[in-house]
Amino acid sequence: MAVDQDEGNCKYCIFPETSASVHHNVLSRLDIGLISLDKDDRLIHFNEMVRNVTGIEETEVIGKELNDLVATCGHSASSFFRHLLRTRQCSTQINNVPFKIVAHDGSLKYLSCEYIPCHNEGSTSNGALFLLKDETISTICSNNCIFDDQKTNASHLPFVSFLWKCDDVWSVEYVSDNIVQFGYAPEELVSGGLDYADIVHPDHLEALMDMVDGFNGNYFSHEYMLLTSEGEPRWVLERSYAVRDDVGNITHFHGAVLDIHERKSSEKELASMNLQEKALSKLGGHALSCNDIDALMNYAVKLVAETLGMKFGMIMEKISDDRFLLRYGYGLSEWCVGSAIVDGNSSSQAGFTAVSGKPVILEDIEKETRFKVPHFLHKHGVVSGASVVIGTNNEPFGVLCAHTDEKVHFSDHDINFLQSVSNILAESIGLRETIGSLELYKKLMNQSNDYIMVLDTITKKFSYVSDRVIQDLGYSESELMSQSVFDPECFMKTLDMFEIIRKAADEGTFLVGSEFVRKNGSSFPVEISFSFVENEGKIYMVLIGRDMTEKKKAHQILSESETKLSAIFDNASDLICLSDMDGIILQVNRAMAETMGYQSNELIGVAMVDVTSPEFRADVPKIMAEIIEKGPVTVEVDLLNNNGDTLPMEIKAQVIAYNGKQRILSIGRDITERRVLENAIREHADQLEYSNGIKDMFADVTSHDLIGSVSLIEGFVDYLSSIEENSEKKHILGNIHDSAEKLRRTIHSASVFARMNSSREMELQTIDLRFVFRSSLDRLFDRAVRRNIGVVLNSPEPCPAYMNPIIEEVFFNLMSNAIKYSPDGSEVVVDIFPDGDRWKVSVSDHGPGISDKDRSRIFERFSRADDSGISGKGLGLAISRMALKCHGEELHVEDNAGGKGSTFWFNVRVSDEFDNFQ
Ligand code: ADP
């Protein structure tokens, strides 16, 4: 894996770099210098190390002969090439002594040089290589050239040479002038103003002292940090020799201190790059294998923090245009992870990063002016940090940040690392979304009621079949996948696939009716659509099948019902007519044609208005408008038949959708007979009205005339009885009087009954039932006394009822019957008591009672239970029942609960007008 930088954007790439570029990179980064010559001894290549040491530019020397270079180059370069020539001359001898040059940066370098000639098979020269190694350190440490050199040209030395006294603080007895590179003057140290121990970094002093104290060899090498006069720590390498006195005790150390700070930094950076590469590779692996996005994100924030040596790692997720949520955090307190929110605009580091689209480094929280540092970072003591966008700038997922509680420097590598992590996360989110939507499509396809299949056009086999195919056909997935549509054994009944492919290619989608054969041999009709799709350069055929069993059934039912409907249409006795919205006839049934006296086709195209009787023609447009505006309408109109006769019709008409168009359906019924009947009924009603009037008049006239005649008879009988002496004649006259009285009662009852039958409305008024009772009793008093029958009333006071005065007839009849059918000396009881919003009135006697068989018929006119010798006309109960019926009430009879006899009872409405009776 490698980090490939492209215009400042880092992209995580999993492809290896080409070996040529690796070669180039390796050669240019080598510590070893490389110079190559062609067969004509011309310089064709040298690497970065040579360039750095000598400062030679390619344009000056490439293509030139080595010999010429000695003469033509500037002083330092020409001496360098002279050394190369000398090395070539000596290459047969063993000569490893490094040569000395003043490097490009002015420092002194010791280089060893090796000459490697290249030969072809015939021993002809094929060029040569020079390998150069930097032997500066080993050279100066391994021989006494130091002092030679320092005396000659100290300013060229790459190291500072010292002579220390072996005391507690390492007093400096000699130091070369180039100590100034650390900001000190030689005099400061030699004079004793500063000891060497004073300029060693305090953190490293102890270890250095321990090492020197216990030292008993010839020389040592040690790496530690010095402090410059500015207080800046710098890594140095010290190589020192022990100087002993005559008895072998160490009195001094003399040695060289080389500034290796740059190398150390490079090493550190290399190590951290190494660490980062490893971290990225781990994260990449994790991203591919981990299904849980939360786990991956949490892993990433921890990884980032640990790899960069930060205390905190976090991902701020963009949750809306103007807000970021601290979604994942490492090293942060629980209270803020999942709840801390920062602004989405550039007033927060996250927002600033997302808006700028570039990595943002927070050098020092105290000095930050571009954005506001959120509260939770302050709370954690954050001092510096860096952030990069996750995802695209247009639609970022969020921002990845690494922060810590001390001031740190972020190198380009650190930022690249952060960006690479963010890229892996973004790719992983994208991948997950793709996988998620793929899963969704798969689910949708499997849930579809259609049979979905994908055919690989190269293998001619199915590369996908939806669950529905597997379930409904009874094959396993692999059995289906191994079938080919070109195979006659395929579950899809053999189709002309070549024709289908041609049609689908021409028309985009092609629909064909076919059959699916189940594994068990049964089959069902399907309709299949064929179309092509292209994916990643491959062409697939998509087949979508639909079960047509139900549709076929429905189709059959529909055609059957259409046949039935047309039979109904033709055989209906009603007149059926279909017209357009202008009333032009489109279709009529047989009944209509026959009734109208036409052939069916003669009526087609005729306007409805033309077959309507002139008297109704003006109404036709109005009726049509009403049908269209208000919906179904029923009208009575006269049509005109072929002979010009009118046909009275009741027509129901409405707008219907027929074959996708609006039509008016009219159903007519011949109402000629109904009209005749209606006329007859109307006449009959008139007649009834008339005869009711006659009857009322007759009742009134007859009762008046008859009662008048009866009164006359009674008057004469009374007169004759008063003058008659003969007792026998007197008895006969008494009988005549009784008969006359009976006759009067009968006439009265008959006239009441007749009037009740013809009267339509009852006039109601408030009457106290006790008065009604008393007035009836007055009329019966003599009869009761004659037979020693007591009549008792039980009632509250008062008993206001809302009724017609005719109710007195009911009281009278019931009390009269009770007295009539009671044994002498017995008691008749009348009870009146409230029953809800009505009064219950009952009349009880101790007579013979009414047998069950008689109960239903005694209320009929002229109906009597028995002929026990008690006289009667059988009208009283009929009249009573009729009177109650006119009040909406019934007359009931039951056995007398108080013993032998019967109880007749009825209800009558309570009147609210109590006041009149208080
Ligand atoms: P009638 O004039 O015959 O009494 P009603 O219509 O009043 O005519 O009565 C019809 C018949 O009902 C009577 O003939 C009698 O048989 C029977 N009936 C009426 N009231 C009583 C009663 N209180 N006790 C026994 N029978 C009765």
Side-chain angles (χ1 to χ4, degrees), residues 813-814 817-818 820-821 845 847-850 858 860 863-866 870-878 902 904:
N813 281 328
L814 297 183
N817 281 351
K820 191 158 68 175
Y821 294 102
D845 62 51
I850 316 275
I858 52 170
E860 300 300 322
S863 179
R864 308 199 63 229
D866 59 42
I870 298 168
S871 67
K873 293 278 172 288
L875 263 179
L877 290 181
S902 48
F904 285 82

Side-chain angles (χ1 to χ4, degrees), residues 9 392 640 684 796 861:
N9 281 330
T392 60
L640 213 55
H684 187 65
R861 261 193 303 170

